[in-house]
Amino acid sequence: MMNAGPITLERLDELLSAYGADEAGWPAGERQAARELIAASAEARRLLEDARALDTLLSAAPVEEPSEELVERLMAARPREVPKELPQARRGAGGAKKGGGLRGIAAALWPYGSSAFPAGALAASLVLGIALGTSTGISPIATNSGATTTAAATADTTDDQLIAIALADPSYIEEWTQ
Amino acid sequence: MDGIPDDELVAAVAKGDESACRELMKRHLGRVVALARRMLGNQADAEEIAQEVFLRVWKHAEKWEPGRAQFSTWLHRVGTNLCLDRLRKQGMDDLDAIPEPASEDPTPYEAMAQKDVARRVDAALQQLPPRQRLAITLSHYQGLTNIEAAEVMEVTVEAVESLLGRARRALKAALATEKDELLRRMNTGA
């Protein structure tokens, strides 16, 4: 099948019946022999024309372009670039020169780490202060009645949880720096 | 981005390069949709398959090994397998089985559709057993060589040739009665 010698009409018919009239689709090893037979034989040319007519018909089968919605769905789901560098304010005092604005000022004030940290500490202190104020009875809400004691106990638990979250979860501090 | 090889585009896709994603889709999405459209017979299913193929590209772009396989052949292989899976789930367990013939009496809708040359050819294609349809789709419509088609279908080159021969003979027979009329219409643009 793959020899370079001449081919028969029967073999040419098989080739055309399988691959059609476009010689680019014929097996490379038989392409030249098929060309030579077609050039030499009227019957071979008739077979070729017959195959070409079927090719023309088949090429009329419908095909649509991908919809814009599909393209946009795929673009939305594409891989995203992972940032390689941290924000400039984290680079210390040197970065402040390039940073500018509030970020540059924050870096100058807090040259040893994230400028978000003092803000986080301030927020945590605020929460802690409210919690202490509530649980030590400084708040005018805390009275001697049993009902309010129960309410204060519940408030203690909730505030403890808030403080724990504020101090233990570093991820949201990261978010501030974005 | 025109001259950039597929392998380099895939590497850029893995790094989240937006323009590389667009270029890769510009080159290949239409061909994947066309493959699935011809295998499944409708555009909505074809786009679902194409979406799944490209989601896999996005997911595995990082692991792509340049030179190990031709990217377009790999895409055809993934698309083909997803199409064959879809056909199996639709109840076509035997991929060489010949589908039930269409009714002799066309419905009004079918009669209207039959006036359209393209729809008539497509209907004939959809009547082929899936593996014959796949062979003619890869060879005639997608322009794959016999070696590439064999690789995608995971069969020998001889098996591809046999499937192609059977497919084209069936199509020729299915379209024989209207062949002259169809060709005349196409040539005159009627």
Side-chain angles (χ1 to χ4, degrees), chain B residues 103-139:
Chain B
S103 165
E104 292 295 323
D105 302 320
T107 64
Y109 173 78
E110 286 167 340
M112 190 169 63
Q114 282 176 359
K115 292 177 182 172
D116 183 340
V117 174
R119 285 178 189 273
R120 290 161 78 174
V121 173
D122 190 46
L125 268 175
Q126 296 307 314
Q127 287 301 308
L128 291 176
R131 289 174 67 81
Q132 288 183 30
R133 188 158 73 245
L134 177 59
I136 199 85
T137 297
L138 294 175
S139 173

Side-chain angles (χ1 to χ4, degrees), chain B residues 28-136:
Chain B
H28 299 289
L29 184 59
R31 297 191 75 209
V32 176
V33 170
L35 165 71
R37 166 66 183 79
R38 291 198 164 99
M39 285 306 295
L40 303 176
N42 74 82
Q43 189 73 8
D45 286 352
E47 293 212 348
E48 271 185 34
I49 294 292
Q51 179 172 306
E52 182 59 33
V53 170
F54 270 81
L55 287 177
R56 290 181 187 203
V57 173
W58 296 164
K59 187 176 175 185
H60 299 295
E62 211 172 23
K63 299 173 195 163
W64 180 255
E65 294 178 32
R68 188 171 175 184
Q70 198 178 344
F71 182 71
S72 64
T73 307
W74 181 82
L75 277 185
H76 275 89
R77 194 162 179 173
V78 175
T80 292
N81 288 340
L82 290 171
C83 286
L84 294 178
D85 282 349
R86 175 72 62 102
L87 290 170
R88 280 192 196 98
K89 285 173 187 167
Q90 288 173 353
M92 190 70 70
D93 289 332
D94 183 355
L95 295 177
D96 290 313
I98 297 171
E100 288 295 314
S103 165
E104 292 295 323
D105 302 320
T107 64
Y109 173 78
E110 286 167 340
M112 190 169 63
Q114 282 176 359
K115 292 177 182 172
D116 183 340
V117 174
R119 285 178 189 273
R120 290 161 78 174
V121 173
D122 190 46
L125 268 175
Q126 296 307 314
Q127 287 301 308
L128 291 176
R131 289 174 67 81
Q132 288 183 30
R133 188 158 73 245
L134 177 59
I136 199 85

